[in-house]
């Protein structure tokens, strides 16, 4: 009685996909739309060579903006607490004792 639950065929297809992906990542098989790895005189990135620098620059500007907003907000809250009438009352009350 041969019972097959389909895991063997699933394993085989998964193994085939993973080996094809591994070959593609190591350059043995070119991706669709890419020239073969052995072509001489071609650059891979072209005009997008410094795209990562642009992304890093934009992320740095975003981080600086958010950081300055957070810092400004927390400092403004500290100024509000000092001039709060309740704190002024307690300060005057303690100095009277």
């Amino acid at each position: 009685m041969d019972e097959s639950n389909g895991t063997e065929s699933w394993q085989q297809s998964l193994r085939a996909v993973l080996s094809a992906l591994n070959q593609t990542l190591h350059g043995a098989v070119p991706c669709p739309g890419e020239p073969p790895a052995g072509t001489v005189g071609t650059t891979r990135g072209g005009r997008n060579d410094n795209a990562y620098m642009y992304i890093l620059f934009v992320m740095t500007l975003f981080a600086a903006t958010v950081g300055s907003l957070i810092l400004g907000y927390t400092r403004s809250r500290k100024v509000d607490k000092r001039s709060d009438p309740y704190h002024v009352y307690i300060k005057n009350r303690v100095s009277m004792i």
Side-chain angles (χ1 to χ4, degrees):
M1 189 154 96
D2 281 334
E3 291 185 18
S4 177
N5 58 5
T7 57
E8 291 84 14
S9 63
W10 182 79
Q11 269 184 330
Q12 290 172 350
S13 64
L14 180 63
R15 184 168 286 135
V17 167
L18 288 176
S19 67
L21 179 63
N22 194 20
Q23 289 176 356
T24 303
L25 289 175
H26 290 294
V29 178
C31 292
E34 268 191 21
T39 356
V40 180
T42 58
T43 60
R44 184 168 179 207
R47 66 184 189 127
N48 294 328
D49 283 342
N50 294 326
Y52 64 94
M53 289 300 288
Y54 173 74
I55 292 171
L56 185 65
F57 177 70
V58 169
M59 288 176 63
T60 305
L61 285 179
F62 178 74
T65 303
V66 170
S68 65
L69 287 173
I70 290 173
L71 188 64
Y73 177 74
T74 54
R75 286 191 177 186
S76 72
R77 297 293 292 170
K78 286 181 182 176
V79 169
D80 289 345
K81 284 185 178 180
R82 290 183 192 141
S83 63
D84 187 18
Y86 178 74
H87 292 292
V88 171
Y89 171 76
I90 294 296
K91 182 181 174 185
N92 293 338
R93 184 83 173 149
V94 169
S95 64
M96 287 175 47
I97 295 178

